[in-house]
């Protein structure tokens, strides 16, 4: 409850842009995947991001008086833009394992935050909503599935390709850190 609300408002507006693009990337990557279960997981993820995450954020926006006009006039921060561009580059110029690995740090970080803070209760309602959304068992299960998908996609790759996937994962992890710091 100690984070200033103006910082959280800024974060949420940037995160809205990020999640919109993140959902689109799930769908686009799914179309490059031939394994039906992985393809469906990514398509379900895209739908969940566009529906579920949007609904959670919409509630938070209402509570924080973030209007559609404010969202429309808020410039995209360089970090948010850079992170999305990095993931989009993997989709366009690499191979599916790298594209999926670029998505993984977001899942993993929020899952870790949710699990580590699941017993913490914030006196600020909107902060508690945020924590609750990432401590849910289904979010953690989705994260574990994403980890398994990356491992499955990497299994047949050469050592050089696996090293590239690791580099992509670490770059996305760095963007995650910077995304939090920008707020």
């Amino acid at each position: 409850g100690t984070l200033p609300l103006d910082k959280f408002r800024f974060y949420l507006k940037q995160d809205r842009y990020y999640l919109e693009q993140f959902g689109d990337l799930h769908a686009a990557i799914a179309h490059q995947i031939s394994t039906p279960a992985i393809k469906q997981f990514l398509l379900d993820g895209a739908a969940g991001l566009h529906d579920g995450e949007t609904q959670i954020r919409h509630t938070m926006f209402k509570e924080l008086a973030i209007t559609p006009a404010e969202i429309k006039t808020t410039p995209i921060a360089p970090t948010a833009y850079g992170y999305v561009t990095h993931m989009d580059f993997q989709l366009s110029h690499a191979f599916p394992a790298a594209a999926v690995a670029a998505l993984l740090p977001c899942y993993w970080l929020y899952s870790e935050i949710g699990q580590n803070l699941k017993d913490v209760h914030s006196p600020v309602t909107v902060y508690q909503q945020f924590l609750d959304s990432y401590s849910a068992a289904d979010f953690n299960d989705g994260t574990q599935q994403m980890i398994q998908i990356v491992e499955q996609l990497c299994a047949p790759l050469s050592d050089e390709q696996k090293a590239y996937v690791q580099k992509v994962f670490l770059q996305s992890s760095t963007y995650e850190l910077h995304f939090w710091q920008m707020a």
Side-chain angles (χ1 to χ4, degrees):
T2 60
L3 179 69
L5 282 173
D6 64 321
K7 292 188 182 297
F8 192 62
R9 285 177 101 259
F10 177 81
Y11 163 83
L12 283 176
K13 290 184 287 181
Q14 297 303 315
D15 196 46
R16 182 219 45 91
Y17 164 77
Y18 172 86
L19 289 174
E20 189 175 275
Q21 305 304 310
F22 195 63
D24 291 347
L25 284 163
H26 276 70
I29 294 168
H31 295 297
Q32 293 185 358
I33 301 289
S34 60
T35 307
I38 296 173
K39 181 184 214 94
Q40 191 59 54
F41 178 84
L42 292 169
L43 289 171
D44 291 346
L49 284 159
H50 285 296
D51 299 334
E53 290 283 349
T54 301
Q55 184 57 42
I56 292 166
R57 292 303 190 266
H58 180 70
T59 302
M60 291 180 188
F61 286 1
K62 282 180 75 173
E63 289 183 30
L64 296 173
I66 299 173
T67 66
E70 183 179 356
I71 291 168
K72 194 173 189 174
T73 60
T74 298
I76 303 307
T79 300
Y81 179 80
Y83 192 1
V84 167
T85 301
H86 158 71
M87 290 185 293
D88 190 53
F89 180 86
Q90 302 316 314
L91 170 66
S92 303
H93 295 91
F95 42 92
V100 175
L103 305 177
L104 181 56
C106 181
Y107 278 85
W108 209 333
L109 173 72
Y110 282 85
S111 182
E112 289 286 322
I113 289 169
Q115 294 310 302
N116 285 314
L117 298 177
K118 68 181 174 185
D119 297 325
V120 173
H121 298 286
S122 176
V124 179
T125 304
V126 71
Y127 292 168
Q128 190 61 50
Q129 291 170 336
F130 181 82
L131 293 174
D132 290 346
S133 67
Y134 295 109
S135 63
D138 60 335
F139 188 81
N140 190 50
D141 292 345
T143 300
Q144 295 309 310
Q145 284 182 277
M146 255 323 244
I147 293 168
Q148 291 170 0
I149 287 170
V150 171
E151 289 175 353
Q152 183 180 344
L153 292 174
C154 285
L157 300 181
S158 69
D159 288 345
E160 183 179 327
Q161 289 171 314
K162 287 177 186 177
Y164 182 79
V165 170
Q166 182 179 25
K167 176 184 169 191
V168 167
F169 174 84
L170 292 173
Q171 286 174 325
S172 285
S173 297
T174 300
Y175 273 115
E176 279 294 329
L177 174 62
H178 292 186
F179 199 94
W180 283 87
Q181 289 175 334
M182 79 175 171

